[in-house]
């Protein structure tokens, strides 16, 4: 259940229209998903968020687009964000993620969650070999 409904005339605001037009151009689609429509509640927030997403996720970098989406899925699972799990799983599939890769991703997410919880519960100290602040690392 949403806490806020978007205005029906979102693109009447020039700032919102400019961001939506850039989303359409960048993604090559007319579809504006709900995340952007709801963020348009505050045009400044919409602009800042889209700028950061475009810079980090949409700009070519040393991490390929599919890996970026898979990382986004993992973080979304860890943060229990149903919306982001669905939207980034769809994006990863569109970028070529196979069913086998998705299964492996879920296995890694599940294992990481388990071992993180065990390390936290046991308060396992960090090995000096893993601590970049220790001399000789």
């Amino acid at each position: 259940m949403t806490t806020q409904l978007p205005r029906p005339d979102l693109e009447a605001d020039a700032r919102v229209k400019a961001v939506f037009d850039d989303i359409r151009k960048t993604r090559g689609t007319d579809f504006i998903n709900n995340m952007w429509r709801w963020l348009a509640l505050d045009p400044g927030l919409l602009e800042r968020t889209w700028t950061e997403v475009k810079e980090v996720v949409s700009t070519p970098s040393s991490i390929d687009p599919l890996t970026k989406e898979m990382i986004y899925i993992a973080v979304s699972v860890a943060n229990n964000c149903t919306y982001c799990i669905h939207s980034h799983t769809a994006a990863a599939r569109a970028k070529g993620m196979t069913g086998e890769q998705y299964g492996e991703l879920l296995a890694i997410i599940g294992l990481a969650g388990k071992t993180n919880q065990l390390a936290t519960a046991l308060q396992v100290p960090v090995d000096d070999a893993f601590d970049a602040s220790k001399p000789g690392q």
Side-chain angles (χ1 to χ4, degrees):
M1 175 184 297
T2 189
T3 60
Q4 177 78 34
L5 290 173
R7 293 186 330 264
D9 61 341
L10 291 173
E11 294 192 58
D13 183 299
R15 292 168 70 188
V16 171
K17 181 165 178 21
V19 171
F20 283 10
D21 286 347
D22 193 38
I23 290 170
R24 290 180 183 108
K25 178 182 173 193
T26 301
R27 293 185 168 171
T29 181
D30 285 335
F31 180 66
I32 301 295
N33 63 8
N34 282 341
M35 184 69 174
W36 302 114
R37 292 167 24 83
W38 262 249
L39 287 175
L41 166 73
D42 178 338
L45 177 62
L46 174 68
E47 289 169 335
R48 290 187 304 276
T49 305
W50 171 244
T51 297
E52 190 171 5
V53 166
K54 188 175 174 183
E55 180 181 313
V56 174
V57 179
S58 299
T59 300
S61 70
S62 60
I63 299 175
D64 66 272
L66 176 56
T67 301
K68 288 180 184 184
E69 293 298 343
M70 292 173 79
I71 291 168
Y72 225 112
I73 293 166
V75 173
S76 299
V77 168
N79 288 325
N80 198 28
C81 181
T82 301
Y83 185 87
C84 293
I85 292 167
H86 283 272
S87 67
H88 289 281
T89 298
R93 286 182 175 135
K95 289 177 174 61
M97 180 179 71
T98 65
E100 183 178 352
Q101 287 174 311
Y102 188 60
E104 289 178 26
L105 174 63
L106 295 180
I108 293 165
I109 292 168
L111 178 60
K114 176 183 179 176
T115 57
N116 285 183
Q117 290 173 341
L118 291 169
T120 298
L122 294 167
Q123 291 296 289
V124 178
V126 176
D127 297 88
D128 287 347
F130 302 146
D131 189 342
S133 69
K134 301 285 180 161
Q137 302 307 319

